[in-house]
Amino acid sequence: MPNEKGWYSKDEVLETGLPYYIPASKRWTHEPYPFAVLLTKSRCREFGIPILSSGNEKPSGFRYAAAAGTGTDDKTYRYYPLYDRTSVFVSGELSMNILYEHEIMGKLSAGN
C-alpha cells in the first residue's frame, strides 16, 4: 500500500513486476514495452492529461528517488508511480520534444 503521498516501497514495486527507472544509472530495470512515455502525476497534470481522480488508474512503472524521505524517519517509500501517456505523444497531440530522457522507455519505431 503506497504512503500518503502515493509513493511505494521497493517491495511493493517488486511485487507489481513493473519496470522502474534508476536515475543514477540512467536505465530501466527491464523494458516490457518496446516504446512508452511514462510520466509522473504532476507531469501528466502539467500537460493537461491528468490521471483519473477516482484512483482507478494504476501505474505502468516507477521512478526511484534516492533523496525521498530526507529530513524524515521514512526512508522506505522511495518510488513514485509513472503513468502511461504514450498514445498522446505517438498521435502527435503533444510533441516528443517536451519530454525528458527518463520519461521515455525504448525507441519509437514505425510499428509503435
Side-chain angles (χ1 to χ4, degrees), residues 7-96:
W7 291 29
Y8 292 71
S9 69
K10 184 170 188 173
D11 289 340
E12 290 169 334
V13 168
L14 293 175
E15 275 183 36
T16 69
L18 295 171
Y20 57 94
Y21 186 80
I22 306 169
S25 62
K26 296 184 178 180
R27 68 175 181 85
W28 291 92
T29 53
H30 64 287
E31 297 187 21
Y33 321 116
F35 176 77
V37 175
L38 302 174
L39 303 176
T40 62
K41 182 178 176 180
S42 60
R43 287 283 278 174
C44 287
R45 189 173 42 250
E46 177 184 335
F47 296 145
I49 45 175
I51 65 168
L52 296 174
S53 60
S54 64
N56 288 333
E57 187 170 359
K58 302 296 181 211
S60 295
F62 298 89
R63 183 167 182 216
Y64 175 69
T70 301
T72 72
D73 292 335
D74 183 5
K75 304 287 191 263
T76 303
Y77 295 89
R78 293 180 178 228
Y79 296 82
Y80 51 89
L82 302 174
Y83 300 91
D84 189 346
R85 293 298 182 266
T86 306
S87 62
V88 176
F89 290 90
V90 171
S91 70
E93 291 176 57
L94 290 174
S95 171
M96 298 280 289

